mmCIF file of all heavy atoms in Angstrom:
data_model
loop_
_atom_site.group_PDB
_atom_site.id
_atom_site.type_symbol
_atom_site.label_atom_id
_atom_site.label_comp_id
_atom_site.label_asym_id
_atom_site.label_seq_id
_atom_site.Cartn_x
_atom_site.Cartn_y
_atom_site.Cartn_z
ATOM 1 N N ASN A 203 -18.708 20.348 6.299
ATOM 2 C CA ASN A 203 -17.868 21.049 7.266
ATOM 3 C C ASN A 203 -17.411 19.976 8.250
ATOM 4 O O ASN A 203 -18.193 19.481 9.066
ATOM 5 C CB ASN A 203 -18.651 22.142 7.998
ATOM 6 C CG ASN A 203 -17.774 22.968 8.924
ATOM 7 O OD1 ASN A 203 -16.768 22.491 9.450
ATOM 8 N ND2 ASN A 203 -18.159 24.209 9.143
ATOM 9 N N PHE A 204 -16.131 19.589 8.141
ATOM 10 C CA PHE A 204 -15.592 18.540 9.003
ATOM 11 C C PHE A 204 -15.196 19.151 10.339
ATOM 12 O O PHE A 204 -14.165 19.825 10.455
ATOM 13 C CB PHE A 204 -14.399 17.860 8.326
ATOM 14 C CG PHE A 204 -14.792 16.977 7.178
ATOM 15 C CD1 PHE A 204 -14.766 17.441 5.878
ATOM 16 C CD2 PHE A 204 -15.218 15.672 7.417
ATOM 17 C CE1 PHE A 204 -15.149 16.627 4.816
ATOM 18 C CE2 PHE A 204 -15.605 14.849 6.365
ATOM 19 C CZ PHE A 204 -15.571 15.326 5.060
ATOM 20 N N LEU A 205 -16.013 18.893 11.347
ATOM 21 C CA LEU A 205 -15.885 19.565 12.631
ATOM 22 C C LEU A 205 -14.554 19.283 13.329
ATOM 23 O O LEU A 205 -14.025 20.141 14.035
ATOM 24 C CB LEU A 205 -17.039 19.174 13.559
ATOM 25 C CG LEU A 205 -18.329 19.991 13.450
ATOM 26 C CD1 LEU A 205 -18.907 19.921 12.042
ATOM 27 C CD2 LEU A 205 -19.356 19.495 14.449
ATOM 28 N N LYS A 206 -14.017 18.091 13.154
ATOM 29 C CA LYS A 206 -12.785 17.722 13.861
ATOM 30 C C LYS A 206 -11.529 18.314 13.208
ATOM 31 O O LYS A 206 -10.431 18.158 13.740
ATOM 32 C CB LYS A 206 -12.635 16.205 13.919
ATOM 33 C CG LYS A 206 -13.704 15.492 14.741
ATOM 34 C CD LYS A 206 -13.345 14.038 14.980
ATOM 35 C CE LYS A 206 -13.149 13.273 13.692
ATOM 36 N NZ LYS A 206 -12.767 11.866 13.920
ATOM 37 N N TYR A 207 -11.724 18.984 12.077
ATOM 38 C CA TYR A 207 -10.587 19.479 11.313
ATOM 39 C C TYR A 207 -10.628 21.006 11.192
ATOM 40 O O TYR A 207 -11.665 21.635 11.385
ATOM 41 C CB TYR A 207 -10.575 18.855 9.915
ATOM 42 C CG TYR A 207 -10.340 17.364 9.932
ATOM 43 C CD1 TYR A 207 -11.363 16.487 10.283
ATOM 44 C CD2 TYR A 207 -9.099 16.823 9.604
ATOM 45 C CE1 TYR A 207 -11.150 15.112 10.324
ATOM 46 C CE2 TYR A 207 -8.879 15.458 9.627
ATOM 47 C CZ TYR A 207 -9.913 14.603 9.981
ATOM 48 O OH TYR A 207 -9.701 13.248 10.015
ATOM 49 N N VAL A 208 -9.473 21.554 10.851
ATOM 50 C CA VAL A 208 -9.357 22.984 10.641
ATOM 51 C C VAL A 208 -8.508 23.214 9.392
ATOM 52 O O VAL A 208 -7.603 22.430 9.096
ATOM 53 C CB VAL A 208 -8.714 23.668 11.870
ATOM 54 C CG1 VAL A 208 -7.288 23.187 12.077
ATOM 55 C CG2 VAL A 208 -8.756 25.178 11.760
ATOM 56 N N ASN A 209 -8.832 24.245 8.627
ATOM 57 C CA ASN A 209 -8.020 24.636 7.481
ATOM 58 C C ASN A 209 -7.037 25.718 7.913
ATOM 59 O O ASN A 209 -7.434 26.732 8.497
ATOM 60 C CB ASN A 209 -8.899 25.174 6.348
ATOM 61 C CG ASN A 209 -9.567 24.061 5.549
ATOM 62 O OD1 ASN A 209 -9.148 22.907 5.617
ATOM 63 N ND2 ASN A 209 -10.593 24.407 4.798
ATOM 64 N N VAL A 210 -5.763 25.494 7.640
ATOM 65 C CA VAL A 210 -4.711 26.469 7.956
ATOM 66 C C VAL A 210 -4.188 27.037 6.637
ATOM 67 O O VAL A 210 -3.672 26.293 5.804
ATOM 68 C CB VAL A 210 -3.554 25.817 8.732
ATOM 69 C CG1 VAL A 210 -2.595 26.900 9.230
ATOM 70 C CG2 VAL A 210 -4.067 24.972 9.882
ATOM 71 N N THR A 211 -4.330 28.336 6.448
ATOM 72 C CA THR A 211 -3.896 28.985 5.210
ATOM 73 C C THR A 211 -2.742 29.931 5.501
ATOM 74 O O THR A 211 -2.773 30.694 6.474
ATOM 75 C CB THR A 211 -5.059 29.774 4.575
ATOM 76 O OG1 THR A 211 -6.157 28.885 4.324
ATOM 77 C CG2 THR A 211 -4.631 30.408 3.258
ATOM 78 N N TYR A 212 -1.710 29.855 4.664
ATOM 79 C CA TYR A 212 -0.554 30.744 4.836
ATOM 80 C C TYR A 212 0.048 31.073 3.473
ATOM 81 O O TYR A 212 -0.151 30.365 2.490
ATOM 82 C CB TYR A 212 0.498 30.099 5.743
ATOM 83 C CG TYR A 212 1.022 28.770 5.257
ATOM 84 C CD1 TYR A 212 2.175 28.696 4.481
ATOM 85 C CD2 TYR A 212 0.357 27.576 5.585
ATOM 86 C CE1 TYR A 212 2.665 27.482 4.032
ATOM 87 C CE2 TYR A 212 0.835 26.361 5.133
ATOM 88 C CZ TYR A 212 1.990 26.309 4.360
ATOM 89 O OH TYR A 212 2.456 25.107 3.920
ATOM 90 N N LYS A 213 0.780 32.168 3.446
ATOM 91 C CA LYS A 213 1.393 32.646 2.205
ATOM 92 C C LYS A 213 2.790 32.058 2.061
ATOM 93 O O LYS A 213 3.609 32.109 2.984
ATOM 94 C CB LYS A 213 1.464 34.173 2.216
ATOM 95 C CG LYS A 213 1.829 34.800 0.882
ATOM 96 C CD LYS A 213 1.739 36.323 0.962
ATOM 97 C CE LYS A 213 2.007 36.979 -0.382
ATOM 98 N NZ LYS A 213 1.906 38.454 -0.292
ATOM 99 N N GLN A 214 3.058 31.509 0.886
ATOM 100 C CA GLN A 214 4.358 30.925 0.608
ATOM 101 C C GLN A 214 5.318 31.970 0.034
ATOM 102 O O GLN A 214 4.926 33.090 -0.291
ATOM 103 C CB GLN A 214 4.201 29.772 -0.381
ATOM 104 C CG GLN A 214 3.247 28.676 0.101
ATOM 105 C CD GLN A 214 3.051 27.591 -0.917
ATOM 106 O OE1 GLN A 214 3.696 26.561 -0.889
ATOM 107 N NE2 GLN A 214 2.142 27.831 -1.857
ATOM 108 N N LYS A 215 6.587 31.580 -0.103
ATOM 109 C CA LYS A 215 7.601 32.506 -0.606
ATOM 110 C C LYS A 215 7.304 32.973 -2.023
ATOM 111 O O LYS A 215 7.652 34.091 -2.416
ATOM 112 C CB LYS A 215 8.981 31.845 -0.559
ATOM 113 C CG LYS A 215 9.620 31.889 0.818
ATOM 114 C CD LYS A 215 11.071 31.436 0.752
ATOM 115 C CE LYS A 215 11.749 31.624 2.106
ATOM 116 N NZ LYS A 215 13.176 31.207 2.057
ATOM 117 N N ASN A 216 6.649 32.102 -2.812
ATOM 118 C CA ASN A 216 6.332 32.457 -4.195
ATOM 119 C C ASN A 216 5.124 33.385 -4.300
ATOM 120 O O ASN A 216 4.681 33.730 -5.393
ATOM 121 C CB ASN A 216 6.101 31.206 -5.043
ATOM 122 C CG ASN A 216 4.953 30.337 -4.506
ATOM 123 O OD1 ASN A 216 4.188 30.761 -3.650
ATOM 124 N ND2 ASN A 216 4.864 29.119 -5.009
ATOM 125 N N GLY A 217 4.571 33.760 -3.140
ATOM 126 C CA GLY A 217 3.438 34.678 -3.118
ATOM 127 C C GLY A 217 2.082 33.997 -3.173
ATOM 128 O O GLY A 217 1.052 34.636 -2.982
ATOM 129 N N LYS A 218 2.080 32.685 -3.441
ATOM 130 C CA LYS A 218 0.820 31.948 -3.503
ATOM 131 C C LYS A 218 0.420 31.470 -2.110
ATOM 132 O O LYS A 218 1.269 31.226 -1.260
ATOM 133 C CB LYS A 218 0.960 30.751 -4.449
ATOM 134 C CG LYS A 218 1.195 31.133 -5.899
ATOM 135 C CD LYS A 218 1.268 29.892 -6.788
ATOM 136 C CE LYS A 218 1.495 30.272 -8.247
ATOM 137 N NZ LYS A 218 1.580 29.070 -9.131
ATOM 138 N N TYR A 219 -0.895 31.333 -1.927
ATOM 139 C CA TYR A 219 -1.403 30.871 -0.640
ATOM 140 C C TYR A 219 -1.617 29.354 -0.681
ATOM 141 O O TYR A 219 -2.052 28.802 -1.689
ATOM 142 C CB TYR A 219 -2.725 31.564 -0.296
ATOM 143 C CG TYR A 219 -2.536 33.000 0.138
ATOM 144 C CD1 TYR A 219 -2.572 34.034 -0.794
ATOM 145 C CD2 TYR A 219 -2.307 33.317 1.470
ATOM 146 C CE1 TYR A 219 -2.380 35.352 -0.407
ATOM 147 C CE2 TYR A 219 -2.124 34.634 1.876
ATOM 148 C CZ TYR A 219 -2.161 35.644 0.930
ATOM 149 O OH TYR A 219 -1.969 36.938 1.323
ATOM 150 N N LYS A 220 -1.305 28.712 0.408
ATOM 151 C CA LYS A 220 -1.501 27.269 0.536
ATOM 152 C C LYS A 220 -2.397 26.989 1.724
ATOM 153 O O LYS A 220 -2.256 27.599 2.782
ATOM 154 C CB LYS A 220 -0.157 26.556 0.719
ATOM 155 C CG LYS A 220 -0.295 25.035 0.834
ATOM 156 C CD LYS A 220 1.065 24.365 0.929
ATOM 157 C CE LYS A 220 0.908 22.854 1.033
ATOM 158 N NZ LYS A 220 2.214 22.150 1.113
ATOM 159 N N THR A 221 -3.336 26.047 1.533
ATOM 160 C CA THR A 221 -4.237 25.657 2.616
ATOM 161 C C THR A 221 -4.004 24.194 2.965
ATOM 162 O O THR A 221 -4.012 23.331 2.081
ATOM 163 C CB THR A 221 -5.712 25.866 2.227
ATOM 164 O OG1 THR A 221 -5.941 27.258 1.991
ATOM 165 C CG2 THR A 221 -6.639 25.403 3.340
ATOM 166 N N THR A 222 -3.796 23.943 4.235
ATOM 167 C CA THR A 222 -3.588 22.586 4.735
ATOM 168 C C THR A 222 -4.694 22.238 5.719
ATOM 169 O O THR A 222 -5.020 23.026 6.601
ATOM 170 C CB THR A 222 -2.229 22.471 5.453
ATOM 171 O OG1 THR A 222 -1.177 22.754 4.531
ATOM 172 C CG2 THR A 222 -2.030 21.073 6.012
ATOM 173 N N SER A 223 -5.290 21.057 5.536
ATOM 174 C CA SER A 223 -6.322 20.582 6.464
ATOM 175 C C SER A 223 -5.677 19.689 7.513
ATOM 176 O O SER A 223 -4.862 18.826 7.186
ATOM 177 C CB SER A 223 -7.403 19.803 5.705
ATOM 178 O OG SER A 223 -8.040 20.631 4.762
#
Side-chain angles (χ1 to χ4, degrees):
N203 185 331
F204 288 96
L205 273 59
K206 295 191 302 179
Y207 294 77
V208 64
N209 281 343
V210 189
T211 302
Y212 58 93
K213 191 174 184 180
Q214 303 177 96
K215 279 190 174 181
N216 59 12
K218 295 182 180 180
Y219 285 91
K220 181 177 180 179
T221 297
T222 298
S223 298

